[in-house]
Amino acid sequence: MSNQISVPDPNLYVFDLVEKLQNSIKPFTFSSPKDDEELSVQVEQEEEQNKKQETADTTGKVCSYCGTIPETGEPNYLQLHYKKDYHRYNIKRKLHNLAPFSEQEFEKAIGDMDDESISGSDSDESEESDADDKQEEESEHKLTALLNKTNLADNSEDNDTDEPVTLNHTPFFMYTSKDLEDEKVYAIYKNLFDSKYVSNDYRSPEEEYKNNLSALESLNPNGTSAILMLGGGHFSGGIIKHKRLTKQKPNLSNPFADIEVVVSKTFHRYTTRRKQGGAQSTSDSQRGKANSAGSSLRRANEAALEKEIRELLDEWRGHLDNVSSIYIRANGPTNKSILVNYPNAPISGKDPRIKSVPFTTKRATASEIKRVWAELSHAKVQAKPKIVKKKAAGSRPQSATTSATNTKPQQQDPNEVHTKELTSLIKKSKIALLIAYVKKNKINVNEFQLVPASQYSNTPTLLHYAASKGAHNMIQTFLKTLKASPAVTNAAGKTPYQVAGDRATRDAFQLLRSSLGEGPHPWGSWDADAHVGRALTNDDIKERAQRESAEKAQEHAHRIQEMERQEEVRVQHRIDRNFPLTSTGRKVLSSSVAKSTSGKTSLLEMTPEERRKFEREQRALAIEARLGIKK
């Protein structure tokens, strides 16, 4: 029962809920000490005031950190403002997502810390001296101290002032209503609204209230939305109407009966490697292009799936141009590039309507498309969020025991860490990650020794290890990109070529001998030092494969011919044993059977019907011999 899909509550469908509660639903914000009604009245008053200010002449200029700067009569008053500690302090508050201070609030906060001026920024230019640098440094220290005091205000039990808190960290916009309990709110996914209303920038409670109210009013109950899902070779897409089907009622057997799908389509192709996992294209980019039947099939299926999806999106171009939102769930950039931003694509990568699905989804199917829309379009009734007090900066939780805090963690040998990471990358054939790791940690592949030495005595270097594990696709990376030496030896005096685990790895060395040439090389000779076999080309390997294939076919034909000869000898031996040759000839069958077999004495010469008659006669003679019957 745990996997059963629950039936969405039709009373919580967002597009109907907004219309139903149009006069009672209000945005929820952390607007303490003002309640929502006071905030609503304030917002209306601010809007009227803004309209009046638009028609009035404004004499002050605006600072993006401090707000409107009143004109003082001085021609360079804005430049002087930028030099004030008040302005610098608001820059720091902006970086910490805190609301700006007015100049009066700043002066009061500074007065609480120190009765003296924290800098000489307000003094005349004639009072400036060589001590300006020192004063500026002291000013910076005090600004930082004031900011830290502000950040710690929420943790002080004696402080009754709370810093403004937003709901940016949640995926929901929250709304209150008279129809709900006092401690409950409606939670609606932000991705249901236009992207211009969703931002992680700081907003004051008043700004947040107006933004969330505008987002609610912007919902289009008569529009449509698109959902596209792609992953693991499965694609599913659909265009869904915002208006529900009123005649259909959801139930346990069909929980999404009221969702009207304009068009939908589902594709599936075998593109994922079953055992190792991951798409074939990803494996090709990391490990090199495999040459098996399965990999070729997966590549063909990937191309076919991409073609089918793009043809479908082109067919849906008219629908996609008119949708309000496009929800895309695609695993990785490769899958996403199939859906958007390709030449003549109906969906641009910069389209503001593109949104992600803000929760976990299952395999892309037609029913999953409906479930995603039901989850997005239905509000959740949740408890009102509480303001969580943050811990003071620099404070650390006390440990349960003093011994645990005093115990120093044991430092691991860097070579052991490198060995573990590099051998893992070699086993998984992660070529790009291996190169990045070696360069980042400045590892010399010829000098680095795998540890512990007792475990890697036969494969002390990375090239030895890769060769012994049969990582033939990484040999070229080591020799060409990382400049590894194929002449380095292990404790037994063997080179990487000599410890190679299979023929494909030895072929990789011999192919590189052909491409790199006979030298001279810094590490020596291919023959005397590296002990690598003769140089090979791809044509040589193809010819060898054809020659071995022809030899196998010939050997198989000889084996079949020998089996046929042995079978003929065995049959003839049975005839000689059971029907000895007499002076009048060999009596193989009774007269009636002999007549029907036309005097044939070899089973190989008989037809199937004659052979059956012969075998029946043979069994009859054997019975007569056992019973001693004489004719």
Side-chain angles (χ1 to χ4, degrees):
M1 297 296 292
S2 60
N3 294 329
Q4 186 175 359
I5 300 175
S6 59
V7 180
D9 186 352
N11 296 322
L12 296 178
Y13 188 65
V14 172
F15 296 95
D16 294 343
L17 186 68
V18 173
E19 185 177 354
K20 178 182 176 182
L21 304 176
Q22 188 172 7
N23 297 324
S24 64
I25 192 168
K26 299 292 181 184
F28 168 79
T29 60
F30 289 112
S31 53
S32 179
K34 303 173 184 177
D35 59 17
D36 292 333
E37 292 183 1
E38 292 176 350
L39 189 59
S40 178
V41 173
Q42 180 180 345
V43 170
E44 293 176 359
Q45 293 175 350
E46 287 182 356
E47 289 178 351
E48 293 178 2
Q49 186 177 358
N50 291 336
K51 291 179 181 178
K52 293 179 181 179
Q53 289 179 351
E54 288 176 0
T55 58
D57 293 331
T58 58
T59 57
K61 295 187 178 181
V62 177
C63 171
S64 57
Y65 297 101
C66 306
T68 303
I69 309 302
E71 187 173 356
T72 61
E74 298 179 9
N76 60 340
Y77 73 97
L78 190 60
Q79 286 77 9
L80 293 176
H81 165 76
Y82 291 149
K83 296 180 181 180
K84 291 184 178 182
D85 297 319
Y86 153 60
H87 173 74
R88 292 164 54 203
Y89 178 64
N90 275 336
I91 292 176
K92 292 179 178 291
R93 290 182 64 84
K94 179 73 172 179
L95 294 175
H96 287 77
N97 291 326
L98 298 175
F101 266 18
S102 66
E103 192 163 6
Q104 292 77 14
E105 291 173 333
F106 174 75
E107 295 295 341
K108 184 178 182 300
I110 291 301
D112 293 340
M113 290 187 65
D114 194 350
D115 293 336
E116 298 179 359
S117 175
I118 65 172
S119 77
S121 58
D122 291 331
S123 62
D124 296 334
E125 293 181 3
S126 60
E127 297 177 356
E128 294 180 358
S129 64
D130 295 337
D132 284 347
D133 292 341
K134 184 177 180 181
Q135 289 180 339
E136 186 174 351
E137 185 177 355
E138 291 177 357
S139 171
E140 188 69 23
H141 286 315
K142 290 192 176 183
L143 287 178
T144 304
L146 177 61
L147 186 64
N148 290 338
K149 179 182 176 182
T150 304
N151 288 338
L152 294 173
D154 286 339
N155 296 292
S156 175
E157 296 180 358
D158 298 333
N159 190 3
D160 296 332
T161 304
D162 289 331
E163 286 291 331
V165 183
T166 65
L167 295 171
N168 289 344
H169 62 284
T170 69
F172 302 104
F173 282 154
M174 296 187 182
Y175 299 88
T176 59
S177 174
K178 296 178 180 178
D179 294 353
L180 286 176
E181 301 176 14
D182 290 341
E183 297 301 319
K184 298 289 184 181
V185 292
Y186 289 119
I188 302 175
Y189 279 109
K190 294 178 181 178
N191 282 12
L192 197 65
F193 303 101
D194 195 295
S195 57
K196 66 181 180 181
Y197 298 108
V198 181
S199 173
N200 290 326
D201 294 337
Y202 169 79
R203 294 191 185 102
S204 66
E206 293 80 4
E207 293 172 334
E208 191 173 358
Y209 183 94
K210 290 189 291 185
N211 176 80
N212 296 2
L213 186 61
S214 301
L216 200 64
E217 294 170 349
S218 69
L219 289 176
N220 180 12
N222 297 317
T224 56
S225 291
I227 301 177
L228 305 174
M229 302 174 66
L230 175 61
H234 296 265
F235 167 82
S236 186
I239 309 294
I240 298 176
K241 283 189 175 181
H242 294 176
K243 197 169 188 64
R244 293 186 302 163
L245 296 171
T246 55
K247 295 182 180 180
Q248 302 291 336
K249 301 297 181 183
N251 51 60
L252 288 175
S253 61
N254 188 5
F256 313 121
D258 58 345
I259 296 178
E260 183 176 358
V261 180
V262 181
V263 288
S264 66
K265 191 68 176 180
T266 300
F267 297 123
H268 171 57
R269 292 277 185 172
Y270 168 55
T271 62
T272 304
R273 305 165 71 241
R274 295 300 183 212
K275 291 183 179 179
Q276 293 87 347
Q280 184 60 45
S281 57
T282 305
S283 175
D284 290 346
S285 63
Q286 292 181 348
R287 308 183 183 184
K289 191 173 181 180
N291 205 16
S292 63
S295 61
S296 300
L297 177 62
R298 288 188 290 269
R299 287 189 202 98
N301 285 342
E302 284 181 347
L305 181 63
E306 178 178 335
K307 181 182 178 183
E308 290 172 345
I309 292 173
R310 290 183 174 178
E311 288 177 351
L312 177 69
L313 295 179
D314 191 60
E315 183 182 337
W316 287 1
R317 188 182 292 270
H319 294 294
L320 294 171
D321 289 342
N322 297 321
V323 297
S324 302
S325 302
I326 302 174
Y327 298 96
I328 293 179
R329 193 225 66 183
N331 297 335
T334 303
N335 283 332
K336 190 171 182 180
S337 65
I338 296 176
L339 301 175
V340 300
N341 229 23
Y342 55 88
N344 199 28
I347 307 175
S348 170
K350 297 182 179 179
D351 195 326
R353 299 174 301 166
I354 295 179
K355 303 169 185 176
S356 61
V357 179
F359 46 82
T360 304
T361 60
K362 301 177 183 177
R363 176 179 290 177
T365 60
S367 61
E368 183 64 7
I369 291 290
K370 293 183 178 180
R371 189 192 73 82
V372 168
W373 175 248
E375 179 72 13
L376 279 169
S377 59
H378 285 77
K380 281 78 180 162
V381 177
Q382 298 180 352
K384 282 186 178 180
K386 305 296 182 182
I387 299 177
V388 179
K389 301 294 184 181
K390 295 182 179 180
K391 294 183 179 180
S395 64
R396 297 180 181 177
Q398 293 183 355
S399 177
T401 60
T402 57
S403 61
T405 58
N406 294 331
T407 303
K408 294 182 179 179
Q410 295 181 354
Q411 292 185 351
Q412 194 173 6
D413 183 5
N415 286 342
E416 291 184 4
V417 177
H418 294 331
T419 297
K420 183 178 179 181
E421 291 294 332
L422 291 169
T423 54
S424 176
L425 293 174
I426 291 173
K427 287 179 182 177
K428 297 176 181 178
S429 295
K430 303 288 186 179
I431 297 175
L433 294 178
L434 176 74
I435 296 173
Y437 188 90
V438 169
K439 291 184 177 180
K440 178 182 177 182
N441 294 280
K442 298 179 180 179
I443 296 174
N444 187 325
V445 293
N446 293 321
E447 297 178 358
F448 178 76
Q449 299 281 314
L450 301 178
V451 291
S454 59
Q455 181 180 347
Y456 297 100
S457 59
N458 191 47
T459 57
T461 68
L462 293 173
L463 186 56
H464 274 98
Y465 186 83
S468 68
K469 294 298 180 182
H472 58 87
N473 55 333
M474 303 194 79
I475 303 302
Q476 180 175 345
T477 301
F478 276 108
L479 268 65
K480 280 191 172 182
T481 307
L482 301 177
K483 307 301 180 184
S485 169
V488 65
T489 57
N490 60 11
K494 292 188 176 181
T495 63
Y497 177 82
Q498 292 174 315
V499 301
D502 54 20
R503 180 195 243 184
T505 306
R506 291 190 290 273
D507 287 348
F509 278 100
Q510 293 174 261
L511 286 170
L512 283 167
R513 177 174 181 172
S514 176
S515 61
L516 295 176
E518 293 299 324
H521 298 288
W523 39 262
S525 166
W526 288 103
D527 292 319
D529 299 303
H531 302 291
V532 175
R534 67 179 185 87
L536 291 177
T537 63
N538 289 322
D539 292 338
D540 293 335
I541 294 177
K542 288 180 181 178
E543 290 178 5
R544 185 185 66 190
Q546 293 174 355
R547 184 172 62 256
E548 291 177 351
S549 178
E551 291 175 355
K552 287 182 179 179
Q554 186 177 4
E555 183 181 350
H556 180 71
H558 288 163
R559 189 164 56 251
I560 295 296
Q561 187 177 1
E562 180 63 18
M563 290 173 61
E564 290 177 350
R565 188 190 66 78
Q566 292 179 359
E567 176 66 16
E568 185 175 356
V569 170
R570 187 179 63 82
V571 171
Q572 191 64 40
H573 178 69
R574 287 174 54 193
I575 294 174
D576 294 339
R577 184 184 61 192
N578 295 320
F579 306 99
L581 187 64
T582 63
S583 58
T584 59
R586 192 190 304 275
K587 185 177 180 180
V588 179
L589 306 171
S590 62
S591 58
S592 61
V593 177
K595 187 182 297 184
S596 63
T597 59
S598 304
K600 297 175 182 176
T601 60
S602 174
L603 288 176
L604 298 176
E605 298 175 356
M606 299 179 186
T607 64
E609 182 65 25
E610 292 172 344
R611 193 176 297 125
R612 283 193 292 272
K613 290 180 179 181
F614 170 75
E615 290 174 350
R616 285 198 298 271
E617 181 69 17
Q618 186 179 8
R619 288 194 294 271
L621 291 174
I623 294 171
E624 291 175 358
R626 284 197 300 272
L627 298 177
I629 300 175
K630 295 182 179 181
K631 292 185 178 180

